[in-house]
């Protein structure tokens, strides 16, 4: 019984310490039940901070040259250790996200662009992405309008917005190939895998 109380106290102290530090450096996108709410919240935070109409905002998607495995983060937290992720800082605006998978493609770490799928690798991880709201963003020509889905089924019920409930957002991913190349392959980002 004493062990349980000690563990609860340690858990509580970690949570309080987390509140003092602020938001995490990167959010585990796949861990959200309703990722669309997180996306909207990011836009709302920016709109309130800069007194900009939320409807005027678009996301700029910046892919960072870092990977973050949620299992490593959770394992360190459960062991009451600090997770060493000093490779990047918490952004002043927007949010860093991790935990996404690429379907029908891969990420080219050398060129920092979307690449063709590698033999034998079904759903490689996507590097950490910075979702940065920007009222003046005009997408570059070399971006693939990559759909992000909650699950690999890519189907859901039609909501009042006219989108599938499985669809999260269109991510503009750097690419050195035309849109039709990725559309033909059915390339998408996924929050979770079927297996």
């Amino acid at each position: 019984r004493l062990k349980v109380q000690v563990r609860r106290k340690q858990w509580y102290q970690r949570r309080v310490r987390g509140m003092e530090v602020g938001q995490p450096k990167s959010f585990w996108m796949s861990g959200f039940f309703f990722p669309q709410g997180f996306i909207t919240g990011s836009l709302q935070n920016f709109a309130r901070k800069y007194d900009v109409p939320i409807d005027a905002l678009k996301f700029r998607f910046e892919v960072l040259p870092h990977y973050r495995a949620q299992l490593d983060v959770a394992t360190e937290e459960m062991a009451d250790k600090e997770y060493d992720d000093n490779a990047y800082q918490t952004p002043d605006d927007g949010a860093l996200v991790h935990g996404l998978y690429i379907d029908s493609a891969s990420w080219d770490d050398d060129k920092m662009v979307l690449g063709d799928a590698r033999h034998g690798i079904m759903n490689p991880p996507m590097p950490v992405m910075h979702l940065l709201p920007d009222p003046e963003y005009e997408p570059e020509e070399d971006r693939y309008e990559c759909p992000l889905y909650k699950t690999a089924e890519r189907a859901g019920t039609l909501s009042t917005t006219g989108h599938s409930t499985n669809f999260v957002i269109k991510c503009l991913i750097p690419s050195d190939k035309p849109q039709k190349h990725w559309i033909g392959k059915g390339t998408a980002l996924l929050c979770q895998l079927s297996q």
Side-chain angles (χ1 to χ4, degrees), residues 110-155:
D110 296 328
K111 295 181 182 177
M112 292 298 290
V113 295
L114 204 55
D116 286 321
R118 295 186 196 111
H119 181 72
I121 301 175
M122 292 294 291
N123 298 105
M126 182 70 183
V128 174
M129 279 199 308
H130 184 189
L131 279 59
L132 179 62
D134 187 344
E136 299 171 3
Y137 179 58
E138 292 298 325
E140 297 91 340
E141 291 290 321
D142 65 344
R143 300 282 169 145
Y144 167 55
E145 296 179 6
C146 187
L148 170 60
Y149 295 102
K150 288 190 218 176
T151 66
E153 280 74 39
R154 302 185 191 199

Side-chain angles (χ1 to χ4, degrees), residues 44-96:
Q44 286 174 334
N45 286 342
F46 186 91
R48 288 180 184 139
K49 182 176 179 180
Y50 294 102
D51 197 26
V52 176
I54 193 170
D55 294 340
L57 296 175
K58 297 176 187 169
F59 272 116
R60 177 185 303 271
F61 296 87
E62 297 174 1
V63 182
L64 304 180
H66 307 289
Y67 290 86
R68 186 172 191 189
Q70 184 59 28
L71 181 60
D72 296 340
V73 176
T75 303
E76 292 289 318
E77 285 179 357
M78 293 304 291
D80 200 23
K81 296 178 185 172
E82 292 294 320
Y83 181 73
D84 182 24
D85 56 358
N86 294 323
Y88 45 86
Q89 298 297 318
T90 303
D92 292 330
D93 296 317
L96 300 179

Side-chain angles (χ1 to χ4, degrees), residues 102-106 114 144-147 149 154 181-189:
I102 307 170
D103 194 24
S104 303
S106 65
L114 204 55
Y144 167 55
E145 296 179 6
C146 187
Y149 295 102
R154 302 185 191 199
H181 177 82
W182 302 116
I183 292 169
K185 291 177 174 286
T187 300
L189 292 176

Side-chain angles (χ1 to χ4, degrees), residues 2-72:
L2 182 61
K3 282 185 179 182
V4 172
Q5 290 176 338
V6 169
R7 295 287 290 164
R8 278 189 189 148
K9 183 178 178 185
Q10 290 172 342
W11 179 87
Y12 178 74
Q13 288 171 337
R14 281 195 307 269
R15 296 301 157 246
V16 169
R17 192 170 52 235
M19 286 187 283
E20 291 169 355
V21 171
Q23 75 178 28
K25 287 188 177 184
S26 178
F27 291 90
W28 181 38
M29 187 76 137
S30 301
F32 293 121
F33 174 76
F34 188 64
Q36 295 92 328
F38 171 76
I39 298 288
T40 302
S42 295
L43 291 173
Q44 286 174 334
N45 286 342
F46 186 91
R48 288 180 184 139
K49 182 176 179 180
Y50 294 102
D51 197 26
V52 176
I54 193 170
D55 294 340
L57 296 175
K58 297 176 187 169
F59 272 116
R60 177 185 303 271
F61 296 87
E62 297 174 1
V63 182
L64 304 180
H66 307 289
Y67 290 86
R68 186 172 191 189
Q70 184 59 28
L71 181 60
D72 296 340

